[in-house]
Amino acid sequence: MPVLYTILGIIAFFVLIFSIKIQVNAEYLDGFVSDVKWLFIRVPLYPRPEKKEKKPKKEKKKKEKKKEEEKKDEQPEEKGENKIVEMFKNFYENQGFDGVMKLLEDTVDSAEKMGHSFKKHFIFQRLYLWMSVAKNHDAAETALEYGRICQKVFPLYGYICSSFPVRKYDCVIEPDFIGNSNTARFAVSFSVRPIFFTNALITFAFRMLFKVALKFYRKSKPKAIKNNKTNNTK
């Protein structure tokens, strides 16, 4: 019983930690600033704090060790690649084009379901964009440039707002008939809960295992082996 309680306590601890949301902030107003927030902890991503320079260590031994490791790693990779190519060939010979297409459909279906579950729990806390359009002090070119940018930005903005949960958002694009070049500012922050991502990855892994990997492994055996088995049974 004590062992069971400790295991349940460890599971509950990790579930609690993974249930706490992580928020990523990025904005470009006077300069680009980005950080990650978890509870009361804030970690800057950019600009990064300067690190102290470390003393140089012996590089010759490291280079020699790396070369030896690369030589050791090269051989099994080539063998593994050859086996995978043979398995693909055998699978195509056994199942044909329709079998390959069915395998691709299953992988795409699993990926789409994982992406759909990601979208639900990927929340934009704020999504602001401010743009000023100007083209060489020319009113006609500025108007054309303004139309092109609106044609590209607003559909993308609408797709994000319709596909993901967005709490606060605004998009302002204004033409500047006196200015010389385009300017833009933005402020974005989104939050996620890692537990939903881990659940989606686990379900995706199980789907890929039972729908794709096992099917591919079973039906990628060469035909000669199957014929021998049938003859032996006879």
Side-chain angles (χ1 to χ4, degrees), residues 4 12 21 27 29 34 56 76 82 91 107 111 134 153 164 175 177 211 215 218 229:
L4 181 61
K21 69 178 180 180
E27 62 180 24
L29 300 175
S34 179
N82 293 327
F91 184 84
T107 55
V153 172
F164 298 92
F177 298 104
K211 287 187 175 181
K215 189 188 292 183
R218 289 171 183 172
K229 288 182 179 179

Side-chain angles (χ1 to χ4, degrees), residues 98-198:
D98 294 333
V100 175
M101 290 302 297
K102 183 68 171 65
L103 201 70
L104 291 173
E105 286 176 0
D106 291 336
T107 55
V108 170
D109 184 50
S110 301
E112 284 180 351
K113 288 179 179 177
M114 183 183 67
H116 185 66
S117 62
F118 277 178
K119 285 181 181 180
K120 290 181 181 178
H121 307 290
F122 193 89
I123 301 171
F124 282 93
Q125 300 295 333
R126 55 176 183 158
L127 184 63
Y128 295 116
L129 176 64
W130 304 277
M131 294 186 68
S132 177
V133 181
K135 191 74 173 179
N136 298 326
H137 306 289
D138 190 346
E141 290 184 359
T142 299
L144 293 173
E145 185 71 13
Y146 174 75
R148 291 192 203 99
I149 291 174
C150 290
Q151 187 178 5
K152 293 177 181 178
V153 172
F154 283 117
L156 178 62
Y157 219 80
Y159 172 76
I160 293 171
C161 293
S162 60
S163 301
F164 298 92
V166 182
R167 300 285 172 79
K168 298 178 181 178
Y169 64 94
D170 192 14
C171 181
V172 178
I173 303 175
E174 296 178 346
D176 185 6
F177 298 104
I178 302 172
N180 188 22
S181 59
N182 301 330
T183 59
R185 296 178 299 161
F186 65 87
V188 180
S189 65
F190 59 88
S191 63
V192 293
R193 295 184 188 273
I195 191 170
F196 297 117
F197 284 84
T198 53

Side-chain angles (χ1 to χ4, degrees), residues 192-222:
V192 293
R193 295 184 188 273
I195 191 170
F196 297 117
F197 284 84
T198 53
N199 291 338
L201 287 172
I202 290 168
T203 54
F204 173 74
F206 274 102
R207 283 172 184 159
M208 290 293 292
L209 178 64
F210 290 105
K211 287 187 175 181
V212 179
L214 291 176
K215 189 188 292 183
F216 175 75
Y217 179 74
R218 289 171 183 172
K219 296 181 181 179
S220 63
K221 294 180 180 180

Side-chain angles (χ1 to χ4, degrees), residues 63-119:
K63 289 181 180 179
E64 291 176 358
K65 288 181 180 179
K66 285 182 181 179
K67 288 180 181 179
E68 292 178 357
E69 290 176 356
E70 287 176 357
K71 288 180 181 178
K72 291 180 181 179
D73 294 334
E74 282 177 358
Q75 295 177 354
E77 284 179 358
E78 292 177 356
K79 292 180 181 178
E81 288 178 357
N82 293 327
K83 287 181 180 178
I84 292 168
V85 171
E86 288 178 0
M87 290 177 72
F88 271 110
K89 287 180 179 178
N90 294 329
F91 184 84
Y92 183 76
E93 289 176 358
N94 295 333
Q95 299 298 314
F97 182 77
D98 294 333
V100 175
M101 290 302 297
K102 183 68 171 65
L103 201 70
L104 291 173
E105 286 176 0
D106 291 336
T107 55
V108 170
D109 184 50
S110 301
E112 284 180 351
K113 288 179 179 177
M114 183 183 67
H116 185 66
S117 62
F118 277 178
K119 285 181 181 180

